């Protein structure tokens, strides 16, 4: 796969998310390059420390698993000055409440079950 300089990459962070597994073919079919990330901690160290993730890129995290490494990655990325777009997918029992708000721009919460069009709208919104 060849990328243009500004073509965003979608990093899907969660190895057990059925929702993200079903969204991946849609993203790829619509022309979004997708990188599956199996280990959030390694991604934090190896990729983010080298600054290869760009502001035009997007991170999608499914918080339903509730794994600590996802929250460590989220905290790290939220405090980066030049960060990618962040999409949090969460069900009704996730530790993010309906009244939670984030002061960071480019951070979006999608509640399960999110439709493919909702995800595409978020990814294309402020690219």
């Amino acid at each position: 796969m060849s990328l243009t300089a500004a073509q965003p990459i979608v990093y899907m962070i969660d190895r057990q998310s059925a929702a993200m597994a079903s969204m991946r073919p849609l993203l790829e079919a619509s022309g979004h390059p997708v990188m599956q990330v199996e280990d959030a901690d390694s991604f934090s160290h190896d990729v983010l420390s080298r600054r290869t993730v760009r502001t035009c890129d997007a991170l999608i995290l499914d918080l339903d698993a509730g794994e600590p490494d996802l929250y460590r990655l989220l905290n790290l990325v939220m405090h980066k000055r030049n960060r990618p777009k962040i999409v949090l997918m969460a069900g009704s029992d996730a530790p993010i409440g309906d009244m939670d708000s984030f002061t960071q721009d480019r951070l979006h919460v999608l509640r399960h079950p999110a439709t493919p069009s909702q995800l595409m709208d978020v990814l294309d919104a402020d690219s």
Side-chain angles (χ1 to χ4, degrees), residues 8 10 18 31 48 55 59 69 73 79 83-86 95 100 117 122:
V10 177
L48 294 178
T55 57
L59 299 178
D69 59 341
L73 175 58
H79 294 95
R83 68 179 165 275
K85 181 182 302 188
I86 303 168
D100 286 346
S117 63
V122 166

Side-chain angles (χ1 to χ4, degrees), residues 53-95:
V53 175
R54 304 160 300 170
T55 57
C56 67
D57 295 335
L59 299 178
I60 303 177
L61 296 96
D62 190 341
L63 299 182
D64 278 354
E67 295 178 17
D69 59 341
L70 294 176
Y71 291 96
R72 283 192 296 269
L73 175 58
L74 176 59
N75 284 327
L76 176 69
V77 174
M78 282 178 34
H79 294 95
K80 292 264 184 210
R81 183 171 170 225
N82 296 314
R83 68 179 165 275
K85 181 182 302 188
I86 303 168
V87 179
L88 304 177
M89 298 182 75
S92 59
D93 58 345

Side-chain angles (χ1 to χ4, degrees), residues 41-52:
D41 283 335
S42 292
F43 180 80
S44 298
H45 182 266
D46 297 340
V47 177
L48 294 178
S49 65
R50 293 185 191 137
R51 296 185 181 110
T52 57

Side-chain angles (χ1 to χ4, degrees), residues 1 22 38 69 77 87 95 104 107 118 121 125:
M1 164 185 355
S22 67
E38 296 294 326
D69 59 341
V77 174
V87 179
Q104 289 79 11
L107 188 143
Q118 288 172 314
D121 288 347

